[in-house]
Amino acid sequence: MKIRIFMLAFTVGFVFCFLGAVFFVFRFSEEKEPEEPKEEQNIFLEDDRAVFLLIHKNEENFGPFTLVNLDASKGRIPVFTFSEKAALDYGGVDISAGELFSSVSPEVFAGTIETNLGIELAGYFIWNRESAEKIISETGPFDYILPEDIKYSEGTKYVNLISGVQNMTGKKICDIVECPYFSESERCDVFSRITAAFLNRRLPRFLPESGVYAAIFNYTETDITAFDKERWAKLVTVLCGSGKSLSGHITNDTERDPYGGLIYFSENTKKRVKKYFGE
């Protein structure tokens, strides 16, 4: 009998203690002041985005040209690629992007891109096969779904890539971008998609303390010295903090000149570029 009374008293006491604890926690959580936002959420007061121009160079020519916006303010990295045959207004005369780049300094070319597209560039990178191979060797290969087979031979080079998941290396990237039977729109589209896939999978490795950062600046021609290294680090850090895919391909609709070899941006394309790279 004594044991039953003890157990009953113990149970009642436990229940009252439990209810008291719940009440205390509830009141404490109600009255607790909101936590201060984490410092990372307020890193930027201004200049929380940066648009870079990537310029592909092979042994014969230049292009395609690609815009990449590290946009920490909106948590996204849009990618837009245009052809070496894209028409640019230079001194009141329409000239192809590839021809203009081969005849002026990279700084003048970048300024012309800014004027024509109504954007502001933070810097440019000129890359080639060696650059791609060195950078990907530092980041590690990444998966990309190739929508169709790519097969061709040029001189001593033979390319045979099967559709489906490809483990992308720097060599494969260049083999795809330099595919001779691609139309200009196909070439631009595939490079944008590869770049977006690369950034979504490898962006955390771009911080200044990494070998990737060093490879970018050792194996590309760039004016990035004019860009703040600390700002670069903050942009990458904030973008990596989202934990989701950030980069995507921006469609490039064009209109071909029926009387020449130039390709003109459509009005819809200009609006997209302004929206994702100029605002």
Side-chain angles (χ1 to χ4, degrees), residues 2-226:
K2 290 182 180 180
I3 294 176
R4 289 183 179 179
I5 294 173
F6 173 79
M7 292 299 297
L8 179 62
F10 176 82
T11 303
V12 172
F14 178 82
V15 170
F16 275 105
C17 288
F18 176 79
L19 292 175
V22 171
F23 177 77
F24 175 79
V25 171
F26 178 76
R27 287 294 305 274
F28 178 79
S29 62
E30 269 195 327
E31 296 171 0
K32 185 179 179 181
E33 293 184 4
E35 292 184 1
E36 290 292 325
K38 292 183 179 180
E39 183 180 354
E40 288 77 10
Q41 295 176 347
N42 290 320
I43 284 180
F44 300 102
L45 297 178
E46 58 182 359
D47 295 334
D48 51 359
R49 52 192 297 279
V51 180
F52 296 97
L53 175 64
L54 312 183
I55 301 165
H56 174 246
K57 175 184 179 182
N58 62 28
E59 295 178 355
E60 299 178 356
N61 51 33
F62 302 96
F65 304 92
T66 301
L67 298 176
V68 175
N69 184 7
L70 300 182
D71 189 351
S73 64
K74 293 184 172 64
R76 65 190 184 188
I77 311 176
V79 178
F80 173 79
T81 301
F82 58 96
S83 167
E84 61 179 301
K85 296 180 181 178
L88 298 174
D89 180 343
Y90 181 66
V93 177
D94 287 347
I95 183 173
S96 72
E99 185 179 354
L100 178 63
F101 185 81
S102 65
S103 60
V104 299
S105 69
E107 289 76 16
V108 171
F109 181 78
T112 304
I113 296 298
E114 290 179 318
T115 302
N116 275 254
L117 297 179
I119 62 176
E120 181 179 352
L121 295 175
Y124 64 81
F125 296 94
I126 303 174
W127 66 280
N128 55 23
R129 184 174 289 268
E130 180 187 18
S131 305
E133 292 179 358
K134 294 290 185 181
I135 292 169
I136 300 302
S137 70
E138 289 290 341
T139 65
F142 62 98
D143 288 342
Y144 173 75
I145 300 177
L146 197 63
E148 60 181 311
D149 296 351
I150 296 180
K151 300 180 180 181
Y152 67 91
S153 59
E154 283 188 330
T156 58
K157 181 170 68 174
Y158 175 72
V159 177
N160 183 13
L161 299 174
I162 307 302
S163 62
V165 178
Q166 284 283 344
N167 195 231
M168 297 298 291
T169 62
K171 179 182 181 303
K172 287 182 181 180
I173 291 173
C174 290
D175 287 343
I176 293 172
V177 174
E178 296 169 6
C179 178
Y181 59 78
F182 274 168
S183 69
E184 288 304 310
S185 61
E186 288 172 333
R187 192 183 319 282
C188 293
D189 182 82
V190 72
F191 185 64
S192 279
R193 294 184 187 280
I194 290 174
T195 303
F198 172 62
L199 292 171
N200 281 327
R201 290 163 176 76
R202 293 292 180 261
L203 186 65
R205 303 184 185 183
F206 276 72
L207 290 170
E209 60 268 22
S210 72
V212 178
Y213 184 89
I216 290 173
F217 296 102
N218 288 336
Y219 294 101
T220 65
E221 180 183 340
T222 179
D223 66 341
I224 200 64
T225 52

Side-chain angles (χ1 to χ4, degrees), residues 212-257:
V212 178
Y213 184 89
I216 290 173
F217 296 102
N218 288 336
Y219 294 101
T220 65
E221 180 183 340
T222 179
D223 66 341
I224 200 64
T225 52
F227 188 79
D228 183 7
K229 182 176 180 180
E230 182 179 358
R231 182 180 163 202
W232 168 288
K234 288 180 178 179
L235 286 169
V236 175
T237 300
V238 171
L239 287 166
C240 289
S242 71
K244 61 181 181 180
S245 294
L246 304 172
S247 190
H249 156 64
I250 306 303
T251 304
N252 180 7
D253 299 320
T254 57
E255 300 168 355
R256 184 174 290 276
D257 179 2

